[in-house]
Amino acid sequence: MNHEAWMARAISLARLGLYTTDPNPRVGCVLVKNGELVAEGWHCKAGEPHAEKIALASAGSRAAGATAYVTLEPCCHHGRTAPCSDALVAAGVERVVVAMQDPNPLVAGQGLEQLRSAGIEVLTGVLGNEAAKLNPGFIKRMAHGRPYVRCKLAMSLDGRTAMANGESKWITSDASRRDVHRLRARSSAIVTGIGTMLADDPALTVRLPADALDGVASEADILQPLRVVLDTHLAVSPDARIFGQPGETIIVTTSEDEAAADRLLAAGATILKQDHSAEIDLDAVLAHLAEIGVNEVLVESGATLAGAAVAAGLVDELVIYMAPHLMGDMARGLLHLPGIGTMEQRIELRISELRQIGPDIRLTLFPGN
């Protein structure tokens, strides 16, 4: 049997849940018998049936003797839904081919062992690297107690993000800005700094029609990301646009100003107070976000916060939109990275993808060479 081809199909199905499954992983399942497709499914929303259950329900009695291709180890614990491993055993499948083991400690190989104990043949590691790309945040949260951090930046061809006076609208094209909304739509949370809030008053929401997002049936199904503002002195206004939007807003601060905190609470914010210090501990913020189920974080900020996150080694992926124009050497730079004075101190990046988005270029980069 062509295991890779069928698993590739399961992975393509899992991608249809890219914008809707949070905080659950994106998972696809294909049932095959005698070399022919029997049924398929993917996980659509947290709380709804998992991919295996959907495929099995579609197959009915035809699932007996079939091979199930699943992008992630079937769950074996009771959560919002019953275990998928039980369902596969009850359906009488002959073989289960799994792309990767579930990093969730509640599963972590136990689902595979249950299948083997029931006499089902189990194969693992088929297109595992491709399957892992579906769920970088879920994997990192389960394995390391931190979300996956993606930092989005926009710049001119000469690496500038704003004019000297702060003017920055718009560096990139409409096409690039629509693409950023897709990044927002797949993210569990957006993190920004008070500088961006005061300069731009952003809404930090997904503003795309449902048909612009694969697998999304209606705009009601679009999950608005949690908005997180790092605001040391509680300088954000209660009238800021973020408080008039669907979804939750968290203000992270070290301030002792109770009156300012009360005004923001009245506006609808949640206040996350850190111990009083000169700076907010971004690593502690990420740990908190992981604890509340945040898988993927999108950092949308100015050069100071983005530079600090990169310098601290907290960024897993950089997405840079580069527009084909020049803004001059008086304009503001991409990242604030003080302390780099020699070539040996430079931060190495590895280009993963280069793609044209409208007139712009989108660079996807990872730390390290």
Side-chain angles (χ1 to χ4, degrees), residues 19 174-186 205-214 216 218-224:
Y19 306 108
D174 289 343
S176 288
R177 294 196 293 278
R178 285 194 299 271
D179 198 60
V180 170
H181 280 274
R182 293 185 181 91
L183 290 181
R184 289 181 178 181
R186 69 170 293 168
T205 55
V206 179
R207 298 186 297 279
L208 283 176
D211 59 9
L213 300 169
D214 291 342
V216 178
S218 70
E219 291 184 29
D221 294 326
I222 297 175
L223 300 177
Q224 292 293 342

Side-chain angles (χ1 to χ4, degrees), residues 96-121:
V96 176
V97 181
V98 176
M100 62 172 289
Q101 182 174 299
D102 193 332
N104 186 343
L106 296 174
V107 184
Q110 298 176 68
L112 301 177
E113 184 56 36
Q114 181 182 347
L115 296 173
R116 292 190 179 101
S117 297
I120 296 173
E121 180 186 355

Side-chain angles (χ1 to χ4, degrees), residues 60 105 121 125 169 184 187 190 193 208 247 263 291 322 344 361:
E121 180 186 355
K169 293 184 178 180
R184 289 181 178 181
S187 301
I190 300 174
L208 283 176
R263 288 192 293 271
E291 288 174 0
M322 183 172 63
E344 287 75 17
I361 297 295

Side-chain angles (χ1 to χ4, degrees), residues 19-359:
Y19 306 108
T20 58
T21 66
D22 206 61
N24 288 358
R26 299 117 182 179
V27 181
C29 177
V30 174
L31 296 176
V32 178
K33 186 189 288 187
N34 300 323
E36 295 184 357
L37 176 67
V38 173
E40 59 188 20
W42 68 93
H43 182 46
C44 299
K45 294 181 183 179
E48 293 189 0
H50 291 183
E52 300 94 320
K53 297 280 189 66
I54 293 172
L56 290 170
S58 178
S61 61
R62 295 175 299 157
T67 294
Y69 292 87
V70 192
T71 58
L72 186 69
E73 176 183 1
C75 64
C76 58
H77 66 289
H78 286 269
R80 295 189 191 181
T81 60
C84 292
S85 54
D86 288 350
L88 290 164
V89 171
V93 300
E94 180 178 276
R95 181 188 299 111
V96 176
V97 181
V98 176
M100 62 172 289
Q101 182 174 299
D102 193 332
N104 186 343
L106 296 174
V107 184
Q110 298 176 68
L112 301 177
E113 184 56 36
Q114 181 182 347
L115 296 173
R116 292 190 179 101
S117 297
I120 296 173
E121 180 186 355
V122 175
L123 300 177
T124 61
V126 177
L127 297 187
N129 290 337
E130 292 304 311
K133 293 176 183 177
L134 293 165
N135 298 296
F138 179 79
I139 293 168
K140 188 172 181 185
R141 178 166 67 89
M142 290 298 167
H144 303 289
R146 295 291 187 276
Y148 185 88
V149 178
R150 185 178 287 112
C151 183
K152 184 277 296 183
L153 298 160
M155 69 178 190
S156 62
L157 188 61
D158 52 347
R160 304 298 172 173
T161 61
M163 303 308 294
N165 64 1
E167 180 186 358
S168 62
K169 293 184 178 180
W170 293 105
I171 292 175
T172 54
S173 65
D174 289 343
S176 288
R177 294 196 293 278
R178 285 194 299 271
D179 198 60
V180 170
H181 280 274
R182 293 185 181 91
L183 290 181
R184 289 181 178 181
R186 69 170 293 168
S187 301
S188 313
I190 300 174
V191 172
T192 194
I194 185 60
T196 297
M197 290 299 304
L198 296 178
D200 300 334
D201 191 22
L204 299 181
T205 55
V206 179
R207 298 186 297 279
L208 283 176
D211 59 9
L213 300 169
D214 291 342
V216 178
S218 70
E219 291 184 29
D221 294 326
I222 297 175
L223 300 177
Q224 292 293 342
L226 172 68
R227 297 176 292 274
V228 182
V229 180
L230 308 188
D231 183 6
T232 304
H233 303 294
L234 292 180
V236 66
S237 169
D239 298 321
R241 291 175 66 203
I242 52 172
F243 298 122
Q245 309 299 330
E248 185 181 357
T249 297
I250 295 178
I251 307 297
V252 185
T253 188
T254 61
S255 173
E256 304 287 351
D257 188 338
E258 297 297 333
D262 288 343
R263 288 192 293 271
L264 294 174
L265 289 169
T270 298
I271 304 294
L272 178 60
K273 178 73 167 57
Q274 292 190 348
D275 292 338
H276 184 68
S277 64
E279 296 181 352
I280 288 171
D281 184 341
L282 181 54
D283 187 56
V285 173
L286 296 175
H288 173 77
L289 293 178
E291 288 174 0
I292 62 175
V294 168
N295 288 329
E296 296 183 25
V297 165
L298 181 64
V299 176
E300 288 197 59
S301 69
T304 300
L305 174 56
V310 169
L314 299 177
V315 173
D316 298 292
E317 177 182 330
L318 281 163
V319 180
I320 301 176
Y321 295 86
M322 183 172 63
H325 55 238
L326 304 173
M327 294 170 60
D329 58 6
M330 297 299 292
R332 300 180 183 181
L334 184 67
L335 294 166
H336 180 59
L337 293 168
I340 297 180
T342 67
M343 292 294 284
E344 287 75 17
Q345 294 173 314
R346 63 190 174 183
I347 297 173
E348 298 284 353
L349 301 173
R350 174 173 54 87
I351 297 176
S352 171
E353 183 186 59
L354 189 152
R355 177 174 296 187
Q356 185 160 358
I357 306 291

